[in-house]
Amino acid sequence: MKNTIGESFAITLFGESHGPYIGFVLDGIAPGIKIDEERIRQRLSLRRPSGKISTARVEMDEFKIISGAVDNVTTGTALTVIIENTNTKSSDYDSLKNCPRPSHADYTATLKYHGYQDARGGGHFSGRITAALVVAGAIASDILENKGIYIGSHIKKCGSVEERSFDEENLKEEILRLNNQSFACLENDKAEEMVLEAEKAALDLDSVGGIVETAVYGLMGGLGEPWFDTLEGVLAKYIFSVPAIKGVEFGAGFSITDKRGSEANDNFFMKDGDVLTLTNNSGGIQGGISNGMPIIIRSAVKPTPSIYKKQNTVDLKENSDTTLEIKGRHDPAIVHRARIVIDSVVALALVDMCSLRYGTDWQK
């Protein structure tokens, strides 16, 4: 029963959706790192629900550093942060104790924890816990940006509406612009269409999924291992820890199978003394190791499983079939909120991998 990820820069999550607090313990952070609380609040605001396409449960996400920092500067010991839960309605989940929601973690949680899990609001499986990842990710992102490494994502697809991919010629500028958008799209008209798509699903008591495309700009070459700790493998492990992620691809991804080798290969050329590639079908990774080109990742976010339509399920207490009409506060789409969580786990993964390769003092 593990809630920790990372080897040198390791984070442990704790808490439940309707418990008093959620939070994290971060081991391996170097001493002398300045914690920017305003930056953390700004990133938390990108995860916070808003409008008709998000849950009505809005938490203020007041966080508190309780160890590992003095005057917002890290000491080098374990950094512990808690976030209070203040807006809970546990009674909405009384009917779910014995009747698992389809495609949710309710049933698998029962299998693993033998019915002792906290089922309120999804408990430890809830997307609420990702607020802690966003706080830790903000700290990791600051470390990376001080090294000239920038991470950003946009909503590539929401429901049936899809927008263009990143322009790698203007990648840094696009990342900086996206990181200040609450609904992160490269094309404003597509953003409006996506919102309407999610609103329509909500009116139908249903939900939609989407694709988040993430880019890493400025990452040095040579990061990753050739076999069991490939850069793709490590990043995918972190991204799959985000609730609702069902697929991850790099570069051209599955579409590379439609190309011949002459089309798929990224030819090299020299520019100002640097080795670059004419295309980036590899997504910045070859042989499990970064090549210095931008890292391009796409993550599939499934439709929110908690929907208001009547669905078939089982009653685990009675050992019988039944139907379920859930109550509570749920998102008709979470792709726009997942985007900052994906940015956060990518940042955590990269700081861990850089710390392993260059040592913890690399962070400063």
Side-chain angles (χ1 to χ4, degrees), residues 4-11 25-30 76 238 348-363:
T4 301
I5 192 168
E7 296 184 50
S8 179
F9 190 78
I11 182 171
V25 177
L26 184 61
D27 279 310
I29 187 166
Y238 275 77
L348 290 166
L350 292 179
V351 173
D352 183 44
M353 295 190 77
C354 288
S355 297
L356 283 169
R357 180 168 173 81
Y358 304 113
T360 302
D361 282 346
W362 174 89
Q363 299 169 23

Side-chain angles (χ1 to χ4, degrees), residues 10 12 59 97 221-222 228 242 296 348 357 362:
T12 300
E59 294 278 3
K97 185 175 182 180
F228 306 116
V242 178
I296 303 295
L348 290 166
R357 180 168 173 81
W362 174 89

